[in-house]
Amino acid sequence: MKFRDLPILKRLIPTIGKRAAPFIWPRGWRVAEYRGALFLVNYFTYLDRRIGFARDWECEQIGYFLNYVSARRPDVFLDIGACGGLYAILVAKSGCCERIIAFEPDPRCRERFLANAHLNNLSGRIEIRAEAVSGQNGTLPFFCETAFAMGKSRVRSNGDLTVRCVRLDDALAELCGKRVAIKIDVEGHEVDVVVGMKSLLTSNTCFLQMECFDDHVHVVNAKLADFGYRLVHEIGPDKYFANDKTI
C-alpha cells in the first residue's frame, strides 16, 4: 500500500490540498498526474479536485474499462461526451487501441481536452470532434453549465448554444467488422445516441460503458437488447453492455 493510500491520509490529503490550493495553484490552475497521464485541473471544479487532490475520480470504472481495452485491444475507441478527454487520453496512453475518436460539443471542455492532449504528446493521436452525438443530423440546443461543473453540460431544449449533431451511423459509416470500445456520458441524452448508432452496434463487436440513471435505464436496456446486447456489469450509474458472448 502506498503511504498516501492509508485511510486517514486519504481523508486528510484532499481536505488539506483544497485549503492550500488558493495559495499554491496560480489562479486556481495546475497540472496534475493521474493514472500515469497529465491533466490541466482547476481547484474550483469538483471533478478536477478529485483528480488533482484525491486522485480517485471514477477509479473503479476507469480500471474496469482499461482492463477490457488491455485484454481485447479494440480497433476503435469512441469517447462520446469526452469532457476534458480523461478516458480518451488514458486509452491512448495504454497503447492498446489503434484509432481513437472523441466527441465533445462544449467548446470550453474541448479546449481543455486539446490542452490535455498536448500535455501528453497526443495531439495527433486522438481525433477530437466538436459535434454532439444524437439520433439525428443537424443542430440541437445545448446548455453550457458553469465553469464549476462543465462536465454536466448537455443537450437541452432551453440551451444557450446551438451545436452541430450527428448520427454515428452516418458519421462513422465506414466502421464494419471491427472491435469497438465505447464510453457514453451525455447527461440524459443516451437514448437518442443509441438510436443513432444501430448500424454501428449491429455490424461491429462492441463493448459499451454508459452513464445511465434509473429514470430511463429501462428504455436503454430495451433498445440495446433489440440490437443483441446484454448488460454484463454495473458500477454505480455506469452500465456495461456487450454483444460478445465471450464477455
Side-chain angles (χ1 to χ4, degrees):
M1 177 185 290
K2 294 181 180 179
F3 183 69
R4 66 172 289 130
D5 290 336
L6 292 171
I8 189 169
L9 292 180
K10 288 187 76 173
R11 292 192 298 271
L12 285 175
I13 288 174
T15 300
I16 294 170
K18 183 179 177 182
R19 295 193 178 192
F23 305 100
I24 62 177
W25 289 25
R27 299 183 182 177
W29 294 96
R30 67 169 289 196
V31 173
E33 183 177 351
Y34 186 56
R35 301 186 73 102
L38 299 176
F39 297 94
L40 183 64
V41 293
N42 188 291
Y43 71 79
F44 289 114
T45 305
Y46 173 71
L47 184 155
D48 287 1
R49 291 198 298 270
R50 293 284 297 275
I51 292 173
F53 297 143
R55 299 182 186 176
D56 65 352
W57 179 255
E58 295 195 353
C59 270
E60 191 176 353
Q61 292 96 320
I62 291 170
Y64 185 79
F65 194 85
L66 291 180
N67 283 341
Y68 170 85
V69 170
S70 177
R72 302 283 173 156
R73 303 185 74 87
D75 303 300
V76 182
F77 169 54
L78 304 178
D79 193 347
I80 302 168
C83 196
L86 176 62
Y87 275 78
I89 286 168
L90 292 177
V91 170
K93 293 279 285 185
S94 77
C96 295
C97 187
E98 180 180 337
R99 186 181 180 192
I100 299 170
I101 309 167
F103 294 84
E104 178 48 61
D106 187 322
R108 303 162 305 165
C109 292
R110 202 164 56 251
E111 288 170 2
R112 180 88 70 90
F113 191 168
L114 290 166
N116 289 333
H118 178 71
L119 284 171
N120 290 280
N121 298 313
L122 295 170
S123 296
R125 178 76 176 84
I126 303 170
E127 181 182 342
I128 303 174
R129 300 184 54 155
E131 301 101 333
V133 175
S134 189
Q136 64 187 56
N137 296 311
T139 60
L140 284 171
F142 191 82
F143 175 72
C144 291
E145 267 288 1
T146 68
F148 306 109
M150 288 191 297
K152 297 296 183 182
S153 296
R154 58 203 178 274
V155 171
R156 200 171 80 176
S157 58
N158 61 338
D160 47 13
L161 183 70
T162 298
V163 299
R164 290 188 59 225
C165 61
V166 294
R167 297 173 68 248
L168 286 186
D169 283 350
D170 297 320
L172 299 175
E174 75 276 10
L175 294 185
C176 185
K178 302 289 187 181
R179 298 184 308 277
V180 184
I182 307 168
K183 185 222 82 182
I184 301 173
D185 185 353
V186 290
E187 303 299 323
H189 202 60
E190 297 85 20
V191 176
D192 297 80
V193 171
V194 169
V195 167
M197 59 191 299
K198 177 181 179 180
S199 179
L200 186 150
L201 290 172
T202 55
S203 60
N204 296 281
T205 300
C206 300
F207 175 80
L208 292 81
Q209 174 181 316
M210 183 185 304
E211 184 185 75
C212 189
F213 291 93
D214 292 341
D215 54 348
H216 60 276
V217 67
H218 62 287
V219 179
V220 171
N221 285 341
K223 288 285 183 187
L224 288 172
D226 287 344
F227 300 162
Y229 284 75
R230 71 191 193 287
L231 182 68
V232 296
H233 193 54
E234 297 183 59
I235 304 173
D238 289 285
K239 319 298 180 187
Y240 298 82
F241 300 89
N243 62 349
D244 184 346
K245 292 183 173 57
T246 66
I247 297 176

